[in-house]
Amino acid sequence: MPTLHRRVRKSSSEEAVAGMRFQWLSFIGCALAAAALAACNGGSASQPPTSTGSVAAIISAKQLIVLPGLPAGGKFTYDIGLVDPAARRYYLADRTNSSLDIIDLNTFAVRQVTGGFTGQKASNDQSGPDGVVFVPGGSVYVGDVNTVKVVDPVAGAVTASIPTGTAGFRTDEGCYDPDDKLVMFANPADSPPYATFISATTNKVVGTVKFTTSIGLEQCVYDPGTKTFFINNDGTPTNPHGELDTILASTAAAGAPVVAQAFPEGTCGPAGLALGPSEHLLVGCDAPAGSPQITLIMSATSGAIVTTITQVGGEDEVAYDPKLNAYYTASRDWTANGISVTGQAGAAFTPVLGIIDAGTNTWIKNLPTGAGAHSVAADIATGNLFVPVPPTAATAGGVQLFGP
């Protein structure tokens, strides 16, 4: 049995200050903002639109939306960002400001909800906020240390705190099942790692499932086509560099979730996960040092690897946009020669936004982003993309807008 070591996910700079307050910061950004309708918020089981070979030609870097509290020369740590397309809001788990940042996509005003989030500590595993999940027309669920906090995005307030642990570790990434009205969140740093299922109707925990041989958990997604939760597992003795695990929604709804299947992901080192067209899943990979960097497209029905893309890798969060029928990768650990140096001292990275045609499953283009840029979200109404970036010596930090 091989010896396994838990892969620690980095953020773009990993220090911040915690706080407990509620602020409304009226701040007009210098551009539009939006984020992904993450697959974990319902996914996409529809047939794909016509592929557009013009994605590379029309997507480019636009303006920077500056966020409060991120001056030039400072640091910016954050986790998941995504968009609620119907409500026209972008949400970002902002550890530097110990807040859930909300950008109004009609007025571009920024609000920061700070209802007791932990903030950045010495270890990511003891920091928050982390994962973000929204219920269409309802609350936003935000992972934090030992809890999931429930936010009313209209009032801008934390309305509930749901206990999910006691060991002092973060409740990390999550996803939403609109069929059963269940929110799933993972606790990757606990021993063993586990996932918690919460009723979005009652805000009560309805079940948990342990991953007894896992070294960590990453992004999950709900697929309405197969009525299955998928979650990236960092590694097990059988699949030391990652596997895609499945949980039937029916078992979670019954209060007894179990892992049904485990599909090998090779040397992927999985992180992000997004549901695309034709029951395909994009798997963001951050391969171990010395391995070729890759991105996978897998089948949600068979678990098979459909395509291995070698022109981009080193990802954390990934996204799918049905408007342009494209996948996007936040490839913070991409390297110029395509060989992973993740975890090596003094490693040099070339962070990019990867663009993949979801109709043909082929790589299109890489666009430069910023140091440690590991979150990407797509606005399915406009085709805009949002990538948080840290301050530089000369500029403040915020969210970089890419788009048509």
Side-chain angles (χ1 to χ4, degrees), residues 182 195-198 205-210 229 246-260:
L182 291 176
T196 301
F197 293 85
I198 299 167
V205 173
V206 298
T208 60
V209 57
K210 295 180 179 180
F229 288 96
T246 71
I247 300 169
L248 295 178
S250 58
T251 66
V258 294
V259 175

Side-chain angles (χ1 to χ4, degrees), residues 27-120:
F27 177 86
I28 305 302
C30 49
L32 291 173
L37 174 62
C40 64
N41 281 298
S44 171
S46 60
Q47 291 300 307
T50 302
S51 295
T52 170
S54 62
V55 173
I58 65 176
I59 296 295
S60 62
K62 304 296 184 181
Q63 295 177 339
L64 175 70
I65 304 162
V66 177
L67 296 177
L70 305 177
K75 295 180 178 180
F76 182 24
T77 68
Y78 56 90
D79 205 355
I80 298 299
L82 75 164
V83 81
D84 181 338
R88 307 307 299 144
R89 299 187 194 104
Y90 168 68
Y91 304 112
L92 178 65
D94 179 348
R95 293 179 186 156
T96 293
N97 291 298
S98 304
S99 64
L100 175 70
D101 295 352
I102 304 176
I103 298 178
D104 186 308
L105 300 185
N106 296 319
T107 66
F108 321 126
V110 177
R111 294 178 289 152
Q112 292 183 316
V113 180
T114 55
F117 293 108
T118 302
Q120 184 66 46

Side-chain angles (χ1 to χ4, degrees), residues 19 80 99 117 127 166 168 185 199-200 215 286 321 325 338 343 362 371 382:
I80 298 299
S99 64
F117 293 108
S127 304
T166 59
F185 272 94
S199 167
I215 58 173
D286 200 353
D321 173 26
N325 198 29
T362 55
T382 64

Side-chain angles (χ1 to χ4, degrees), residues 268-294:
C268 174
L273 188 64
L275 180 64
S278 304
E279 292 294 336
H280 285 168
L281 294 158
L282 181 73
V283 181
C285 301
D286 200 353
S291 297
Q293 294 180 306
I294 59 174

Side-chain angles (χ1 to χ4, degrees), residues 193-282:
Y194 61 89
T196 301
F197 293 85
I198 299 167
S199 167
T201 303
T202 65
N203 285 342
K204 302 293 185 183
V205 173
V206 298
T208 60
V209 57
K210 295 180 179 180
F211 295 75
T212 55
T213 62
S214 172
I215 58 173
L217 301 171
E218 301 287 345
Q219 183 64 57
C220 65
V221 66
Y222 173 72
D223 174 20
T226 60
K227 296 192 181 302
T228 300
F229 288 96
F230 293 84
I231 185 167
N232 275 330
N233 186 328
D234 282 327
T236 64
T238 302
N239 297 302
H241 298 300
E243 65 184 37
L244 183 65
D245 293 341
T246 71
I247 300 169
L248 295 178
S250 58
T251 66
V258 294
V259 175
Q261 292 176 294
F263 301 115
E265 294 175 319
T267 60
C268 174
L273 188 64
L275 180 64
S278 304
E279 292 294 336
H280 285 168
L281 294 158
L282 181 73

